[in-house]
Amino acid sequence: MKKIFTLFTLFLTYAFASAQCGYVIEMQDSWGDGWNGASIDVSVNGSIIANVTVSNVAGAGDTVSVDVLSGDAVDFSFNSG
C-alpha cells in the first residue's frame, strides 16, 4: 500500500508540474526614465491578472514573470502613457 501511495503522489506531482507554463516579459526604456505611465495588461482567460510597467525607479528596463496553466488563453495589451 505504501508503494502505491508513493507512486500516486509522484504521478500527481508530475502532472501538476507539467501543467504550468511561464512567460517572461522583458521591458526596455531607451531614455532610462521609465515608461511615463505606459503599461502592459496581462489577461488570462479574459481576466486581467497583472499590469506591468517600467517605473522611474527601475530605469532602463525591468523583467516580470507570469505563471499560467497549460491551455489558458493569455493576452498582452499595451497601454500608452
Side-chain angles (χ1 to χ4, degrees):
M1 182 69 174
K2 192 173 188 179
K3 288 182 182 182
I4 292 174
F5 178 74
T6 303
L7 184 61
F8 182 70
T9 303
L10 288 173
F11 173 75
L12 285 179
T13 302
Y14 173 75
F16 181 72
S18 65
Q20 294 181 349
C21 303
Y23 290 90
V24 176
I25 305 167
E26 293 184 17
M27 301 167 286
Q28 301 296 318
D29 178 54
S30 60
W31 292 97
D33 62 351
W35 277 4
N36 299 322
S39 64
I40 298 173
D41 288 336
V42 181
S43 301
V44 177
N45 298 324
S47 298
I48 296 174
I49 64 161
N51 177 275
V52 296
T53 189
V54 175
S55 66
N56 292 343
V57 176
D62 204 358
T63 302
V64 176
S65 297
V66 178
D67 294 324
V68 297
L69 297 176
S70 180
D72 281 347
V74 182
D75 185 47
F76 301 91
S77 301
F78 181 76
N79 306 306
S80 63

